[in-house]
Amino acid sequence: MTMKQWEVVIGIETHAQLATRSKIFSGSSTDFGAPPNVQASAVDIALPGVLPVLNRGAVDCAIRFGLAVDGKIAARSVFARKNYFYPDLPKGYQISQYELPVVVGGEVTIQMGQGDSLTEKTVNLTRAHLEEDAGKSLHEDFHGKSGIDLNRAGTPLLEIVTEPDMRSSAEAVAYAKALHALVRWIGICDGNMQEGSFRCDANVSVRPAGQRELGTRREIKNLNSFRFMQQAIDYEAQWQIAEIEEGRPIRQATVLFNPDSGETCAMRSKEDAHDYRYFPDPDLLPLVIDLDWIEKTRLSMPELPAHKRDRFIASYALSTYDAATLTAALDVADYFEAAVAVSGAGSAKICANWVTVDLAARLNKEGRDIAEAPVSPIQLGGLVARIADQTISNNIAKKVFETLWNGEGKSADEIIEQQGLKQITDGSAIETLIDGVLAANAPMVAEFKAGKDKAFNALVGQAMKAAKGQANPQQVNALLRKKLGEV
């Protein structure tokens, strides 16, 4: 068989650390970066006689997520003990949810393709359930031994599980990015993948094209990079195909991805649910969520990305691509709308270009988030307004933007006035300027007359240089062509 005769089937399990100040069953801090084992209380490590108390804020986060994905929020859900041994699991079990999770179903829409040829696909969710995180094993600086840091033990997690709906690594990455943006958008997770706040496991199997029965899956654990996710899934799928074609069966396993070698490697055989001996936690009552709680949470929700994207298209006449780019993150969408409020809805396209191109490029270059941008949305909106009414050209606008970026705290209007940057739009002034350029560049004029189109661009450059970049480019082009036709 060839690669084209195989179909890859992917499901994703994501652990999102919830943005609460304290842990899910104790008052211990969830701050990242504290010295090892200073934030693990008696409750977190289940010392005799302690009792867990559920963090209401973690439940609020779960409700917000359920509303965002249009899932069913359970009126009654149950916490269970998931029993297994691991060095960084101090209790010997993990408090999680199994048979009755807090959120059932839901969906996340992903977008594939580029530009205005974007296509959409729905990834269905199986469930989202609350649980506590384990500690962390440390393998460096211990002279061949390992250390255990229990600070993370008890940190609230929302585990989000998809149906096996994805058919390529590109779709899996698109889903992971969409989910990452969503949990940040609704304020339930900071999404910091380097700190482990957002971790994905990919369940990968292959089957002959056209077959309905699923193949044997292998789970790639702890993918904390979108790039590594794509590489890991591609390698794993190709490895499974090669194994099957060589007549070797795939055995269910948990595997790790090595980014240095680009390969996956089996860590242990994969457990099934019955291996964990789930049973309801005797120390925790069922979680009951009434309709009033859900409705109060609904009222506190921000406008969701899909709604905002559709509104941007309808209200600002933006392309699907521009609207999707601007709504990839809430802070970017908010920045854009604040800028448009100043520049005017009629200049929304110009504003979108500045936010997604010029501003984004400068932020990426300096490694800043948009919240750290030295140019405020009010300042950028003022700059765009002056481009829209032709007070300044795009080239001059870049100079004004540079001044704004350097943090002088002035408005675009103040900079334009103080530096004398207003665009020359007076037809007679531009005509006089062009007459001087033509007189001083007779050889270029002759080249243009001889059919060399590049000479025209050179003459435009000379005209703009003479005007110190302040002449209206459209007027310069039009008047220059007119004058050359008369020469």
Side-chain angles (χ1 to χ4, degrees), residues 65 145 156 302 444:
F65 180 77
K145 299 180 181 180
M444 286 187 192

Side-chain angles (χ1 to χ4, degrees), residues 135-455:
K136 186 177 182 180
S137 297
L138 307 174
H139 306 294
E140 298 177 358
D141 302 325
F142 288 96
H143 308 290
K145 299 180 181 180
S146 293
I148 303 295
D149 180 6
L150 297 178
N151 280 344
R152 198 173 68 182
T155 296
L157 297 178
L158 188 67
E159 181 172 352
I160 304 155
V161 183
T162 76
E163 293 291 304
D165 284 350
M166 289 153 279
R167 297 293 178 265
S168 69
S169 62
E171 287 187 357
V173 170
Y175 163 77
K177 287 182 176 179
L179 183 65
H180 182 260
L182 179 62
V183 296
R184 294 183 64 203
W185 186 288
I186 61 177
I188 68 169
C189 175
D190 65 19
N192 192 317
M193 300 179 79
Q194 289 72 34
E195 295 179 1
S197 298
F198 188 89
R199 315 189 295 270
C200 293
D201 304 335
N203 290 290
V204 180
S205 64
V206 298
R207 63 185 177 187
Q211 175 179 301
R212 298 193 62 174
E213 181 183 352
L214 295 174
T216 301
R217 65 188 171 90
R218 302 213 312 169
E219 182 183 27
I220 311 171
K221 293 288 288 184
N222 294 329
L223 296 166
N224 64 351
S225 154
F226 300 128
R227 180 166 59 91
F228 292 163
M229 174 182 284
Q230 185 148 14
Q231 292 173 355
I233 291 172
D234 285 340
Y235 176 86
E236 177 64 24
Q238 292 170 13
W239 180 88
Q240 290 188 26
I241 291 168
E243 289 292 293
I244 296 171
E245 290 184 340
E246 291 294 326
R248 292 185 288 269
I250 303 299
R251 301 189 186 281
Q252 189 167 300
T254 297
V255 305
L256 295 177
F257 176 66
N258 184 335
D260 294 326
S261 65
E263 299 175 347
T264 56
C265 180
M267 181 172 63
R268 61 177 181 266
S269 60
K270 175 64 179 172
E271 302 89 348
D272 289 310
H274 62 263
D275 294 318
Y276 293 115
R277 304 187 311 282
Y278 283 97
F279 64 87
D281 192 300
D283 293 334
L284 287 162
L285 292 171
L287 170 60
V288 176
I289 301 173
D290 60 29
L291 291 177
D292 285 345
W293 191 352
I294 294 174
E295 288 309 309
K296 286 179 182 177
T297 304
R298 192 191 305 275
L299 292 174
S300 71
M301 294 282 286
E303 182 182 19
L304 294 175
H307 298 155
K308 193 177 286 287
R309 183 176 67 245
D310 292 344
R311 182 169 61 80
F312 280 10
I313 293 170
S315 300
Y316 302 125
L318 296 180
S319 68
T320 301
Y321 176 77
D322 282 342
T325 303
L326 289 166
T327 56
L330 180 58
D331 50 3
V332 175
D334 286 346
Y335 186 105
F336 166 75
E337 285 221 272
V340 170
V342 175
S343 68
S347 59
K349 173 57 179 174
I350 303 174
C351 212
N353 289 343
W354 273 87
V355 173
T356 60
V357 180
D358 300 84
L359 179 66
R362 193 60 180 265
L363 291 171
N364 288 337
K365 180 180 178 181
E366 299 189 9
R368 301 193 193 199
D369 291 327
I370 198 166
E372 304 170 310
V375 179
S376 72
I378 292 174
Q379 288 175 308
L380 186 69
L383 175 63
V384 169
R386 298 292 79 80
I387 300 170
D389 66 13
Q390 298 190 344
T391 297
I392 57 174
S393 65
N394 277 320
N395 284 336
I396 294 296
K398 292 182 187 298
K399 295 179 181 178
V400 177
F401 180 80
E402 188 67 28
T403 303
L404 291 171
W405 189 271
N406 290 330
E408 294 187 12
K410 298 176 182 177
S411 69
D413 285 340
E414 289 173 326
I415 294 168
I416 292 166
E417 189 65 36
Q418 291 173 7
Q419 297 186 16
L421 299 176
K422 285 186 179 179
Q423 187 167 236
I424 301 170
T425 57
D426 179 77
S428 60
I430 294 175
E431 186 173 7
T432 300
L433 182 148
I434 288 174
D435 287 340
V437 168
L438 293 176
N441 293 275
M444 286 187 192
V445 174
E447 287 181 14
F448 176 78
K449 292 301 233 177
K452 294 184 179 179
D453 290 337
K454 289 183 179 179

